[in-house]
Amino acid sequence: MGAQHNSRTNPEWETHVILNVYDLTPANSYTAWCGLGIFHSGIQVHGKEYGFGAHDFPASGVFEVEPQSCPGFIYRCSISLGHINMPPSDFRLFIERMASEYHGDTYHLISKNCNHFTSDVAYRLTGKTIPGWVNRLARLGSLCSCILPESLQVTTVKPEYHDFSEEDGAESVSTVTTEIDDAEQEKHLLSPQESAGEVAFIKEPEKN
């Protein structure tokens, strides 16, 4: 916590911290009423949404998309978590540092998923975590992972990772396209905004 504290203040730096929640499966419509469901979430700050996904490399798994438009998921709702006064440049450095803690090859559906990431970001920025129902299934799974089907213990958030050097013109992001293996899953999990088909991985700060 405390990333928002800055000796400088400026009304133009004021921004809401918003949690955007998505359904990973239409079955949530039948289970959400009792507080259960499989959800993806992203954290929206300064007009961009940031999430965490898996890939096979020891590099940033943090990506950015347009708010409420993460491809491959069904947008459900947005929840205000508060607001901060932070220059966009300072926030960019903050999210790049977060990317160094959330590598794509460390993603785990039960112990380190997209909702753990958004809760961590929210707490560091505002002192608040995300609502418990968003990640309740993972918490239940951590208690009884031995009886969970293997299919539920692997990630469903797995964009294709491409690394571009600065010579290719990239500054702090890497362009990727999402990959969905199962045709039936693709049918049900398409984003409402089909034009938003790309995400961009946040690059980690350079090590001295």
Side-chain angles (χ1 to χ4, degrees):
M1 180 186 167
Q4 81 275 25
H5 295 305
N6 194 300
S7 58
R8 302 169 295 161
T9 59
N10 187 318
E12 295 182 358
W13 299 341
E14 194 83 10
T15 182
H16 286 281
V17 178
I18 300 171
L19 183 74
N20 293 325
V21 182
Y22 301 79
D23 291 324
L24 266 70
T25 169
N28 282 359
S29 299
Y30 304 99
T31 60
W33 66 271
C34 61
L36 290 176
I38 306 175
F39 302 102
H40 167 76
S41 66
I43 201 89
Q44 179 181 334
V45 181
H46 281 305
K48 287 290 185 180
E49 179 179 319
Y50 301 88
F52 173 51
H55 55 67
D56 298 326
F57 306 97
S60 170
V62 177
F63 60 87
E64 70 176 21
V65 295
E66 291 301 313
Q68 304 177 13
S69 304
C70 189
F73 306 107
I74 305 168
Y75 171 72
R76 169 173 281 269
C77 65
S78 296
I79 302 167
S80 177
L81 300 176
H83 63 275
I84 58 174
N85 193 292
M86 177 186 287
S89 58
D90 286 4
F91 175 76
R92 191 68 183 186
L93 180 59
F94 165 79
I95 202 69
E96 288 176 358
R97 288 172 175 166
M98 292 294 298
S100 67
E101 300 179 29
Y102 284 85
H103 286 178
D105 63 345
T106 67
Y107 184 104
H108 189 280
L109 189 62
I110 301 300
S111 61
K112 191 175 183 179
N113 64 32
C114 55
N115 302 318
H116 292 108
F117 167 76
T118 54
S119 193
D120 191 9
V121 172
Y123 183 75
R124 297 193 198 195
L125 290 177
T126 70
K128 300 177 183 178
T129 56
I130 66 174
W133 59 266
V134 177
N135 207 28
R136 182 167 293 143
L137 194 64
R139 293 202 306 275
L140 291 174
S142 67
L143 298 175
C144 54
S145 59
C146 59
I147 61 173
L148 279 178
E150 183 178 353
S151 61
L152 286 181
Q153 298 190 48
V154 297
T155 176
T156 56
V157 187
K158 192 168 185 179
E160 182 183 353
Y161 180 83
H162 296 287
D163 187 16
F164 294 93
S165 66
E166 293 183 3
E167 296 177 356
D168 297 313
E171 295 180 355
S172 60
V173 298
S174 299
T175 303
V176 300
T177 55
T178 56
E179 211 175 48
I180 303 176
D181 295 329
D182 188 272
E184 191 64 17
Q185 185 184 52
E186 183 177 25
K187 175 182 176 182
H188 290 295
L189 300 187
L190 286 175
S191 168
Q193 300 185 24
E194 296 181 15
S195 61
E198 291 187 347
V199 300
F201 278 103
I202 302 299
K203 285 196 172 182
E204 303 170 46
E206 294 185 3
K207 296 179 181 179
N208 296 326

